[in-house]
Amino acid sequence: MTGYVPGRQFQNKTADRSGAPARSTATGRPRSGAARTGPSRPHPAPRASHAARTNQAPRITALGGGQGLSASLSALRRLTTDLTAVVTVADDGGSSGRLREELGVLPPGDLRKALAALCGDDDWGRTWSEVIQQRFTGSGELGGHAVGNLLIVALWEKLGDPVAALDWVGRLLNVQGRVLPMSAVPLDIEAVVRGHDPAFPAELAAVRGQANVAVTPGTVQSVRLLPDEPPAVPEAVTAVREADWVVLGPGSWFTSVLPHLLVPELAKALVETRARRLLTLNLAPQPGETEGFTPQRHLDVIADHAPALAVDAILVDERAVTGGAFGQADLAGLEKAAERMGAALVLGRVARTDGTPRHDPELLAAAYDRIFRTHGRIGTWR
C-alpha cells in the first residue's frame, strides 16, 4: 500500500458496549444429537464489553452483495473472527429469481456467496465452500440451481426464521463470522434511467428488477426499493450499531451497495453508529450499471442517496485511477468529493495483478488493516 491523502481529523469514537444485546457467532460444526436438527435458533455467544475487548480483534460489519461483498469478506476474515456480513436481498435473476418466484422466499444467492467466502480454511470448510457453490447441470427443474441455495431455502421452510436458518448453515459450514439478510422480505429495485431507449437519449424511463438494472442501456440516475421503506432485520441493525468498523462496498454500485442506504432502520443505524465507516471503491465502471462513471461520480451517487451519511475513509486502488480502468482520474476532484463526505482518501494497491478488475484478498486485507490501525482503531488488535 502506498499511503493516503489526509482528510479530516478523526475523533475517538471509543464506546463502552457493555450490556449490549448478545449476538450469535454462528461458528463451529453442529454437534450430534438434538442440536443438529432442533428447530430453535443456535444459542448466541456472550458479547464482550469494550473494556474486555481491548486486546481482541476488531468487530467488523460488512455490507454489500454478490462478488464484491465476497471479495471484501475474503479479506476481512484475515483480520478478525468477529465479522458480520449484511447482505442485500433484491436479486431476481438466475436460481435465486426462480426460487423467489416459485416459493416467495428471500433470494438466497448472495447470502450463499457470503457464506462460502467465510468458510473455514480446513478441509471441512473448503469442501463445503465448494459444495454450496456447485450448480446442478442439465435442462431439468434442478438445472442451474446452486446446492447452497436449496440448502438455505430448505432450512428457511423448516425453521420459519431466515436468521436462525442462516446461523444453522453457518454452523454446518464452520464459517468464520455471521451472515444476515438486510431485510426479512424480498425486495425489488427500480431505477430511473436516462437514455434507456437509445432513440431517445434524453428521456427518462423506469427499469425494474436487479437483473435488468445491472445490464440496462443508458445511465442510471437513481434507484429506490420496493416495497417502500422495507423493514430491516433487527440483528443487522444491531451489527451496524455495535461494530468498531462498518465496511461498505465494493460491489455493483446501484444494486448491491446503495440498497443498504435505502432501508430506513439500517440507514439510520449507519448514520448514528459509533463505528467508523469505510467505503471501498470498485476497480472499474460496471458495464450497464455504471458505465462511463468516474470515481468521483461513484461518491456523488452515495452522497445523493444518503446525504446524512458521513464516511471516515474511502479506499481507492491507485492504479485504477491513474491510467487504469477509470482512465486518468481527477485526483484533486476525487479528494474533494471524499472530503465532502468527511472522509480521508486512501490510495493503495488492492487489485489482482492479472489485469482483471478483481480485488486481491491479501492486498485488500493489508489495505484494510492499515486503515483500521491508522484511522482510529478501537483496542490493540496486534
Side-chain angles (χ1 to χ4, degrees):
M1 185 157 174
T2 60
Y4 65 97
V5 180
R8 67 181 175 89
Q9 295 295 318
F10 293 86
Q11 298 176 350
N12 189 345
K13 298 184 181 178
T14 301
D16 183 0
R17 293 186 173 87
S18 59
R23 183 184 68 183
S24 169
T25 57
T27 57
R29 293 190 286 273
R31 298 178 182 274
S32 60
R36 181 181 298 275
T37 57
S40 61
R41 182 173 299 183
H43 294 296
R47 300 301 301 273
S49 68
H50 171 65
R53 293 181 61 251
T54 54
N55 291 318
Q56 296 183 13
R59 181 178 294 159
I60 300 173
T61 298
L63 284 64
Q67 297 301 327
L69 178 60
S70 295
S72 188
L73 295 175
S74 296
L76 290 168
R77 60 171 295 170
R78 290 164 162 81
L79 306 178
T80 185
T81 55
D82 199 342
L83 176 60
T84 301
V86 178
V87 185
T88 183
V89 286
D91 189 7
D92 62 350
S95 170
S96 288
R98 291 162 59 190
L99 290 168
R100 174 178 172 170
E101 181 178 0
E102 182 176 345
L103 302 175
V105 296
L106 295 174
D110 285 349
L111 296 160
R112 181 199 80 244
K113 292 174 185 175
L115 287 163
L118 294 177
C119 279
D121 287 328
D122 57 359
D123 286 342
W124 179 277
R126 286 190 295 270
T127 299
W128 274 108
S129 178
E130 294 174 0
V131 168
I132 65 171
Q133 296 283 53
Q134 180 69 34
R135 291 187 183 273
F136 292 101
T137 59
S139 57
E141 292 185 0
L142 281 177
H145 279 304
V147 173
N149 288 358
L150 302 181
L151 174 63
I152 291 169
V153 171
L155 274 164
W156 281 342
E157 291 201 338
K158 176 177 175 58
L159 301 180
D161 182 337
V163 172
L166 289 167
D167 283 346
W168 278 105
V169 177
R171 292 183 67 187
L172 173 65
L173 274 53
N174 194 25
V175 301
Q176 307 303 301
R178 195 183 192 193
V179 174
L180 299 169
M182 71 176 187
S183 178
V185 298
L187 302 176
D188 281 317
I189 292 176
E190 185 177 86
V192 175
V193 181
R194 185 181 301 278
H196 178 65
D197 184 344
F200 302 95
E203 190 173 278
L204 298 177
V207 177
R208 182 167 177 171
Q210 178 173 315
N212 291 328
V213 173
V215 296
T216 181
T219 303
V220 178
Q221 304 294 302
S222 63
V223 293
R224 68 180 183 126
L225 294 178
L226 300 172
D228 292 325
E229 300 188 355
V233 166
E235 292 88 344
V237 174
T238 299
V240 169
R241 290 189 177 275
E242 292 188 353
D244 295 327
W245 277 88
V246 175
V247 178
L248 185 63
S252 299
W253 215 242
F254 285 103
T255 55
S256 292
V257 177
L258 274 174
H260 295 81
L261 307 178
L262 304 178
V263 178
E265 295 166 287
L266 199 55
K268 187 172 187 287
L270 283 165
V271 170
E272 296 178 350
T273 182
R274 294 172 178 172
R276 300 196 182 279
R277 307 166 192 87
L278 168 62
L279 177 63
T280 306
L281 199 65
N282 291 340
L283 299 172
Q286 182 176 347
E289 191 167 318
T290 55
E291 190 167 1
F293 276 35
T294 64
Q296 181 176 334
R297 178 76 177 275
H298 282 74
L299 301 189
D300 291 340
V301 164
I302 295 288
D304 289 344
H305 284 79
L309 179 67
V311 180
D312 293 280
I314 297 172
L315 176 60
V316 181
D317 182 79
E318 63 176 9
R319 289 172 290 190
V321 297
T322 55
F326 286 107
Q328 195 67 35
D330 176 9
L331 289 180
L334 183 57
E335 182 181 356
K336 288 180 180 178
E339 289 177 350
R340 286 195 293 271
M341 300 178 73
L345 182 65
V346 181
L347 299 178
R349 294 194 173 188
V350 294
R352 294 181 183 268
T353 58
D354 60 5
T356 60
R358 295 182 299 165
H359 288 84
D360 181 279
E362 294 288 350
L363 294 176
L364 189 57
Y368 283 156
D369 186 53
R370 177 170 179 175
I371 291 170
F372 296 158
R373 289 186 292 109
T374 302
H375 299 301
R377 65 186 180 184
I378 300 177
T380 306
W381 302 338
R382 290 288 181 181

